[in-house]
Amino acid sequence: MSHLVRRLVTLASASVALLGLVSTSAATATPTTTSPATSFPTRIELPTGFQPEGIAIDRATAYFGSRVDGDIYAADLRTGRGEVISQGPGTASLGMKVDRFGRLFVAGAAGGNGRVIDTRTGDVLASYTFTTATPTFVNDVILGKDAAYFTDSQRPVFYKVPYGRDGSLAAQAETIPLSGDYQHLAGNNANGISLTPDGRALIMVQSSTGFLLRVDPRTGVARRIDTGGALMTNGDGLLLRGQTLYVVQNRLNKIAVLTLDRAGTTGTVVDELTSPDFDVPTTVAAFGDRLYLPNARFTTPPTPTTPYWVTAVRR
């Protein structure tokens, strides 16, 4: 472990001890009522040319994946400083979540794969080849009680990686077909993923339709969530806090805020959040009373010197 990575971990632990915050990495974590210190930056610069997409936060450390080569970058939310902690496989790293063991689950995009990284050492603990078929685009991941679930925006399936109560990871992943109200269309389909408030089912946003779908994690049967006709156009990353669902609408540069029933069968749009600092935000994670979003800048031609950053807004 490099000196800076040790320092990031130390700073993160110190921030938690001082502020009394708890990790919000678990999918069903109770929202903390403690706010980050006012000195925390609301904009964090990422390495030029990084092309971020996914974000996960554990205590006061944020993790980001690169669409260029899959590198994982860790930044201290208190200072904004960071570094690459794990070299990528040469393909993109997209959606990600970190669990209570400090393991980062990463969706592997067109590589058709996923991997689990030790955030303390940067070592790859497990790799999964979900499919060798093309096209594929493993887009996002959520951590349930006994498994991690990955979406594939180019195939009418999702992938399940079971784990035991002791955190042991399964050797192989399962592929579960989507059915019911799910219709596979051209473009991006199942994208961001979350749990329902009661934790019994999955929520997926279908980018091609703007529908929110409640999916049975065992059978793959999907039912459209009744949102009163509201569409999540350009829906990307999802974040659930209590019964509030945040839906990132990337090219619209905003976040739709919905209140769900506990089963996740109905939802009402109650607000939307935006910022002049947004430039096609993709995914979202929470720390205190802030939401942090990496800006993918899809409408800006990428170069090795193109700037990228993270924007924090209050929720």
Side-chain angles (χ1 to χ4, degrees), residues 9 46 49 62 74 98 157 162 191 242:
V9 173
L46 297 176
V98 62
V157 302
N191 192 334

Side-chain angles (χ1 to χ4, degrees), residues 101-136:
F101 300 106
R103 301 180 303 191
L104 189 69
F105 291 69
V106 183
N113 54 40
R115 65 191 192 281
V116 183
I117 296 169
D118 187 330
T119 57
R120 293 164 296 183
T121 65
D123 293 339
V124 177
L125 302 175
S127 295
Y128 299 92
T129 299
F130 297 133
T131 182
T132 57
T134 55
T136 179

Side-chain angles (χ1 to χ4, degrees), residues 66 69-72 84 86-93 115 117 124:
S66 171
D69 53 14
D71 283 357
I72 303 299
V84 171
S86 183
Q87 297 293 324
T91 53
S93 291
R115 65 191 192 281
I117 296 169
V124 177

Side-chain angles (χ1 to χ4, degrees), residues 91-205:
T91 53
S93 291
L94 300 185
M96 55 183 64
K97 295 292 184 298
V98 62
D99 70 5
R100 61 191 176 94
F101 300 106
R103 301 180 303 191
L104 189 69
F105 291 69
V106 183
N113 54 40
R115 65 191 192 281
V116 183
I117 296 169
D118 187 330
T119 57
R120 293 164 296 183
T121 65
D123 293 339
V124 177
L125 302 175
S127 295
Y128 299 92
T129 299
F130 297 133
T131 182
T132 57
T134 55
T136 179
F137 200 75
V138 182
N139 207 330
D140 205 356
V141 57
I142 192 63
L143 307 181
K145 182 178 179 181
D146 56 6
Y149 300 91
F150 294 76
T151 58
D152 191 325
S153 296
Q154 293 295 313
R155 302 187 67 222
V157 302
F158 61 98
Y159 309 107
K160 175 181 178 180
V161 176
Y163 43 72
R165 291 183 179 179
D166 61 351
S168 57
L169 297 167
Q172 293 184 331
E174 303 172 20
T175 300
I176 302 174
L178 285 162
S179 60
D181 291 342
Y182 176 87
Q183 293 185 339
H184 196 70
L185 304 173
N188 279 334
N189 287 280
N191 192 334
I193 184 171
S194 177
L195 298 179
T196 55
D198 63 9
R200 296 183 178 181
L202 306 172
I203 297 175
M204 299 180 189
V205 61

